[in-house]
Amino acid sequence: MTARLIDGKAIAARLREHVASRVAALGFSPGLAVVQVGDDPASSVYVRTKDRAAQQAGLRASSLRLPAGTTQRDLLATIETLNRDDGVDGILVQLPLPSGLSPHAVIEAIDPAKDVDGFHPLNVGLLTEGRPILAPCTPRGVMHLLDTMNVPISGARAIVVGRSSIVGRPMASLLLAADATVTIAHSRTRDLAAECRRADIVVAAVGRPGMITGDWIKPGATVIDVGINRLADGRLTGDVDFESCAAVAGAITPVPGGVGPMTVACLLENTVTAAIRRRG
Ligand code: NDP
């Protein structure tokens, strides 16, 4: 391996310590409410992880678990109650929701000032305009990794593979706001390998194990693997074939231990940002 390893676990731990020290200096404890509908096991793990991390950082975390049969009306009423609760600075509704509930309606019901996931159309619009306030946590985490590793972004060619609202699109907007020249690739992109080979920064957010291989990577490029895929044997792996890409890249994230830990750390950061803005 010739690439520098981007240790997301260590970088996230430092960011969480930084958030904790900001919270300690605030004189109040920002409140984060995490809403889960139903009992999907993966969602339950994510909610517990967020809850624990928030408490460790000195936030007041509360998780609300609503039954799987919750109606759209009841869920919207819960969000309205949290919107009005002055002690709640951040609201996060764990996705995916059970079928029959509209994620769009739910996200649009959240007060944009408390939208710590950064999914509300107002926050998406601000990000698209290049003046993000609450940006989605995973792409924000990627930017933090690039900054920490001193990867030059301004003027660099970046490719984001994947165009979801949660990762790909906001990732491209953040890179563009940082003055990269950005290509967004997706399932209809022609000759994806050639597109990737031109890039100084490759961000993979696809959900296909090992899709991006070393022969797609320009020597010295930075490779960020957002993908989290569970293999048949239970192991987690990314969208990047780590061995072949690490032999060519200048820097690379592992999976697990790369982007994943940054997402929760950036959620804490967004909650502190929301609290400070709301309370002046
Ligand atoms: P989505 O399924 O919503 O989006 C996947 C994207 O990949 C789509 O835009 C799709 O294109 C594109 N795509 C699919 N196949 C190909 C292909 N063969 N070539 C090029 N592009 C392709 O996934 P998410 O964005 O939600 O997640 C992506 C990955 O990131 C997943 O592995 C997920 O688990 C992981 N993830 C990790 C997080 C973390 O904290 N590290 C947080 C969130 C997600 P099209 O639009 O044309 O269909």
Side-chain angles (χ1 to χ4, degrees), residues 128-197:
T128 308
E129 281 182 6
R131 44 192 194 112
I133 295 173
L134 294 172
C137 302
T138 301
R140 206 186 254 294
V142 171
M143 295 305 286
H144 193 87
L145 290 178
L146 295 172
D147 284 344
T148 306
M149 298 301 288
N150 295 316
V151 174
I153 301 175
S154 177
R157 277 182 192 275
I159 185 165
V160 179
V161 190
R163 58 175 165 180
S164 71
S165 312
I166 294 174
V167 190
R169 287 170 198 258
M171 184 74 253
S173 297
L174 284 172
L175 286 164
L176 184 61
D179 296 326
T181 302
V182 185
T183 300
I184 306 176
H186 45 80
S187 63
R188 306 291 175 90
T189 298
R190 263 186 251 134
D191 202 351
L192 182 57
E195 295 290 345
C196 287
R197 246 177 250 126

Side-chain angles (χ1 to χ4, degrees), residues 5-14 145 253-254 257-262:
L5 189 72
I6 304 177
D7 185 349
K9 217 167 150 186
I11 296 169
R14 286 205 293 278
L145 290 178
T253 57
V259 176
M262 296 303 296

Side-chain angles (χ1 to χ4, degrees), residues 47-64:
V47 169
R48 270 200 305 276
T49 305
K50 289 167 185 172
D51 213 58
R52 207 169 38 231
Q55 297 200 16
Q56 281 168 359
L59 306 181
R60 274 178 305 101
S62 54
S63 44
L64 277 90

